Amino acid sequence: MVLPYEHTKGKEAVDLYNKTGRTAQQWQELLLYDMLAYNDDKLWTHTKFGYSVPRRNGKNEIVAMREMWGLMNGEKILHTAHRTPTSHSAWERLCELVEKIGLTEGEDFKTLKQFGLETIEVFDTGGKVNFRTRSSKGGLGEGYDLLVIDEAQEYQDDQESALKYVVTSSMNPQTVFCGTPPTPSSSGTVFTKYRNNVLQGASVNSAWAEWSVENKSDVRDISLWYETNPSLGTVFTERSITDEIGTDDVDFNIQRLGLWIKYNQKSAITKNEWKFLECDKLPEFKKEIFVGIKYGHDGTNVAMSVAVKTTDGKIFVEAIDCQSIRKGNAWIIEYLRCMRPTKIIIDGVNGGQLLKNELKENKIKNIILPTVKEVIVANASFEQGLYSKNIVHSNQPSLEQVVSNCEKRSIGSNGGFGYKSLNDSMEIALLDSVILAYYVCDKSKERRKQKISY
């Protein structure tokens, strides 16, 4: 969706790029024409421009073309990425392009090569690009004409609060969002909100472009490959896509077919999504039971849930209870002593190790204290279970209330996520315990019965 325009600097940017010996593809040219459209006042038609393309199609070349035009026309540019290696690769790409149009380092432009602080500056025009890794403080106090949000699917609200003002003082500002649809492990929220606002007509001076399927589709439908991958046949081949097909159809739909999973804008998991997984009657269970225990972040409560595989290949989850830590662990120990689960996973620095010691004293074994990495995987696994409809439950009101009133929070520094409550009166540990139980149940391998033959 783009606004109508009569003028564009797109041809200038394409011609400049083609001087490097590379040739812009038609879809890249059209996108650049839209991006560099301007009005009668010589101001950008779109002060914000976002686009999403499946991987390996050349979306970063668009940014490089836009930045090279900006360099040669005196713009001050901030290129941000989620990871430092990504911003460094963007710097290397732009340096190479600048040299290929005939500029010489030291004579025509200078560059700072320090990893994480890369810079390119053209002497004649004064155009400059700084490459930085995003943070909640990055860019404060600096002014730019163009802000590039690379890996936009990882762009978070606190980072936007720090960065969106860096172009305010420019007389002709523009922000470009470049990325792919978020995966279950993506920590960003801004990209999805921006897309929805543009598509709903709730934003001004903004544009959006994407190549995507609307719903989960057949991963082997070659016609969809061509519809959603504008560089198929030029940059990569059908054979290479065939090699990408695995067991995770949802991931293929997101990464290769550009599917946008429909998140609720208020809660990361909607009430309808959760209710859809409700079972009318209890399914037939297999024997092994898995338990998840979570001590709340504020040290107030502890929650316990169970998960068990069903005979039709799904995983049934149920919350057992959530009680104050002041009541001690007796209720947990009593339950586990009677249940004798296959595995118990306990998360929480303010009680996990103590509970493990008490359980051992009561001869309850098979206890796991997960690492941060395992907690990240558990959350991603649970969300994948939601999307693939691998989860069933019995519609517990207390659990539904927590599930349908949560939002993502980042964990670690590599895009991991967990959940936090949208309502302070609700204990997110209840959902966390369900996630942990689901995780150990999902990753468990069924024991094979030993066969003895003579």
Side-chain angles (χ1 to χ4, degrees):
M1 295 181 63
V2 297
L3 300 173
Y5 62 87
E6 296 181 1
H7 317 289
T8 179
K9 299 289 186 180
K11 188 176 187 305
E12 290 182 17
V14 171
D15 290 345
L16 181 64
Y17 176 78
N18 290 342
K19 286 181 181 180
T20 66
R22 303 183 188 183
T23 302
Q25 298 182 68
Q26 185 178 27
W27 73 271
Q28 293 173 327
E29 291 186 9
L30 293 173
L31 196 64
L32 209 59
Y33 272 58
D34 293 339
M35 187 180 295
L36 289 172
Y38 63 93
N39 59 26
D40 292 338
D41 295 323
K42 306 291 185 183
L43 301 176
W44 301 126
T45 301
H46 306 108
T47 56
K48 291 185 177 180
F49 197 104
Y51 64 99
S52 167
V53 194
R55 296 191 180 279
R56 312 310 303 172
N57 275 280
K59 63 181 177 295
N60 295 111
E61 288 296 301
I62 298 288
V63 169
M65 296 179 203
R66 174 66 182 87
E67 290 174 344
M68 187 160 60
W69 184 90
L71 272 176
M72 302 310 295
N73 285 271
E75 284 188 321
K76 301 295 187 294
I77 304 169
L78 176 62
H79 182 120
T80 74
H82 179 60
R83 300 179 304 135
T84 304
T86 304
S87 61
H88 184 78
S89 295
W91 167 78
E92 288 181 327
R93 181 186 299 110
L94 192 57
C95 279
E96 181 182 357
L97 292 175
V98 168
E99 289 177 340
K100 285 187 174 181
I101 62 172
L103 273 63
T104 302
E105 184 177 357
E107 296 180 12
D108 303 304
F109 74 97
K110 66 178 180 180
T111 180
L112 179 63
K113 301 178 175 63
Q114 184 178 346
F115 194 69
L117 296 171
E118 298 88 345
T119 300
I120 302 174
E121 183 174 0
V122 175
F123 297 140
D124 286 347
T125 66
K128 183 178 181 180
V129 186
N130 289 335
F131 297 84
R132 300 291 183 267
T133 307
R134 283 192 293 273
S135 71
S136 59
K137 298 180 180 178
L140 292 174
E142 300 176 73
Y144 298 91
D145 301 300
L146 173 65
L147 171 62
V148 174
I149 307 297
D150 196 357
E151 298 180 305
Q153 67 274 11
E154 306 294 345
Y155 192 32
Q156 300 172 20
D157 289 325
D158 59 341
Q159 296 168 352
E160 183 191 35
S161 295
L163 288 171
K164 66 181 179 181
Y165 299 106
V166 302
V167 294
T168 300
S169 60
S170 172
M171 298 303 295
N172 192 18
Q174 187 174 57
T175 300
V176 173
F177 302 89
C178 163
T180 56
T183 66
S185 61
S186 297
S187 59
T189 53
V190 178
F191 201 36
T192 300
K193 291 177 183 177
Y194 173 80
R195 171 184 181 264
N196 290 342
N197 285 338
V198 177
L199 295 182
Q200 293 168 10
S203 58
V204 295
N205 304 326
S206 300
W208 177 261
E210 71 177 62
W211 285 256
S212 66
V213 291
E214 185 173 354
N215 300 300
K216 183 183 174 184
S217 305
D218 181 3
V219 299
R220 297 189 180 276
D221 187 340
I222 296 178
S223 65
L224 293 179
W225 298 359
Y226 280 96
E227 286 181 20
T228 56
N229 292 272
S231 296
L232 178 55
T234 55
V235 174
F236 52 94
T237 65
E238 291 180 15
R239 187 175 184 181
S240 61
I241 292 184
T242 301
D243 291 339
E244 294 174 347
I245 299 175
T247 59
D248 192 340
D249 288 358
V250 174
D251 185 70
F252 185 93
N253 267 260
I254 295 171
Q255 306 274 18
R256 182 50 60 207
L257 301 183
L259 173 67
W260 283 75
I261 299 294
K262 295 178 175 63
Y263 296 100
N264 179 277
Q265 286 305 297
K266 188 172 183 180
S267 175
I269 306 169
T270 68
K271 183 177 292 188
N272 288 337
E273 287 174 327
W274 187 246
K275 276 189 170 295
F276 185 82
L277 304 176
E278 178 186 341
C279 53
D280 297 328
K281 61 180 181 179
L282 286 179
E284 187 177 344
F285 299 140
K286 295 187 177 181
K287 291 183 177 180
E288 295 185 323
I289 296 176
F290 300 85
V291 174
I293 299 172
K294 173 65 179 181
Y295 285 85
H297 299 292
D298 60 0
T300 302
N301 301 312
V302 56
M304 179 167 63
S305 297
V306 296
V308 59
K309 291 184 178 178
T310 65
T311 55
D312 61 354
K314 296 183 182 297
I315 295 177
F316 178 86
V317 296
E318 186 169 81
I320 301 302
D321 204 350
C322 181
Q323 295 194 21
S324 170
I325 291 178
R326 292 184 178 183
K327 292 185 178 181
N329 294 324
W331 68 277
I332 298 175
I333 295 170
E334 183 62 28
Y335 179 88
L336 297 177
R337 186 187 291 121
C338 298
M339 187 61 65
R340 292 292 174 181
T342 302
K343 283 186 181 178
I344 305 163
I345 182 169
I346 308 167
D347 184 35
V349 294
N350 53 353
Q353 185 62 54
L354 290 174
L355 177 58
K356 181 179 180 180
N357 295 338
E358 288 186 61
L359 292 176
K360 282 187 174 182
E361 290 175 4
N362 284 271
K363 299 181 180 180
I364 299 174
K365 302 178 181 179
N366 299 322
I367 302 166
I368 301 169
L369 297 182
T371 63
V372 173
K373 183 178 180 181
E374 287 174 315
V375 172
I376 290 172
V377 173
N379 282 286
S381 175
F382 179 78
E383 194 167 33
Q384 193 69 36
L386 289 174
Y387 300 148
S388 62
K389 310 297 188 292
N390 190 48
I391 297 171
V392 290
H393 62 86
S394 59
N395 188 30
Q396 295 173 289
S398 58
L399 182 57
E400 179 187 286
Q401 192 176 37
V402 174
V403 169
S404 60
N405 287 279
C406 68
E407 63 181 352
K408 288 183 177 178
R409 64 180 180 90
S410 60
I411 300 177
S413 57
N414 294 313
F417 73 93
Y419 294 98
K420 63 180 179 179
S421 178
L422 289 167
N423 189 327
D424 293 338
S425 66
M426 299 178 189
E427 179 55 83
I428 198 66
L430 196 65
L431 172 57
D432 289 334
S433 65
V434 168
I435 291 171
L436 292 169
Y438 174 86
Y439 168 65
V440 289
C441 182
D442 184 48
K443 71 191 291 282
S444 69
K445 295 181 180 179
E446 294 185 24
R447 299 172 183 172
R448 294 184 178 180
K449 291 185 178 179
Q450 185 178 13
K451 292 183 178 180
I452 302 174
S453 58
Y454 300 94

